[in-house]
Amino acid sequence: MNKFLAVILFLVFPNDGYVEKFSYAEKSKLDWSDFRGEPDWNSDFDAVVITGITYQWSYGKDEGEIALDYKVDSFCYPSQSWAKIGQRTDYLLNHEQLHFDISELHARILRKRLKDYKPGKNIRRDLNKMYKLVERMRTNP
């Protein structure tokens, strides 16, 4: 590939440092040990799982055609996820698991859209628009 462009979109956390995370591919089932953040005792919620999607892409020419290479992952961020003590039920864990599953579902939707995408003149704009649409679907069901 004679041109390289990589874009990584990720959640920005206030500490600007390393944030522990694991991908759905690494660990698809949550357990209470994945909720390491400090609970928000003023929240009406008993637990919160923080998840997100990242993608990277590059392109180049392969036999005169534009070839797109990409990687999409969904992640859980344990240090940002929390659960109130005394509220850690199987029902609540299953509910939080669904949030993680929904992020993976949207990662798969993005992978499918990237697979079907035919690169043109405005690759960066097209992929950014595609990501924003999938992310909007994920965060605003």
Side-chain angles (χ1 to χ4, degrees), residues 15-123:
N15 65 3
D16 291 331
Y18 171 78
V19 176
E20 178 190 6
K21 65 183 178 182
F22 59 84
S23 73
Y24 197 89
E26 294 169 322
K27 181 180 178 185
S28 62
K29 292 296 178 196
L30 297 174
D31 57 58
W32 285 122
S33 68
D34 298 320
F35 294 76
R36 300 184 198 138
E38 186 64 34
D40 179 355
W41 296 103
N42 295 319
S43 174
D44 291 335
F45 298 113
D46 291 330
V48 171
V49 64
I50 302 298
T51 64
I53 297 173
T54 63
Y55 80 105
Q56 302 173 2
W57 60 274
S58 62
Y59 72 94
K61 293 221 177 197
D62 184 19
E63 297 180 20
E65 296 288 320
I66 295 175
L68 182 66
D69 186 35
Y70 57 87
K71 181 179 179 185
V72 179
D73 286 306
S74 61
F75 290 95
C76 174
Y77 299 86
S79 64
Q80 303 295 320
S81 302
W82 55 263
K84 293 177 180 174
I85 303 299
Q87 302 300 320
R88 296 178 179 209
T89 64
D90 289 344
Y91 177 83
L92 184 56
L93 183 59
N94 287 333
H95 174 88
E96 298 305 318
Q97 177 67 51
L98 285 173
H99 289 291
F100 194 25
D101 294 342
I102 288 168
S103 285
E104 175 60 19
L105 171 67
H106 286 86
R108 292 176 187 191
I109 290 169
L110 183 57
R111 282 185 205 110
K112 171 80 167 91
R113 289 181 180 205
L114 288 166
K115 179 182 175 213
D116 294 343
Y117 176 68
K118 303 293 182 223
K121 278 184 166 181
N122 298 303
I123 295 172

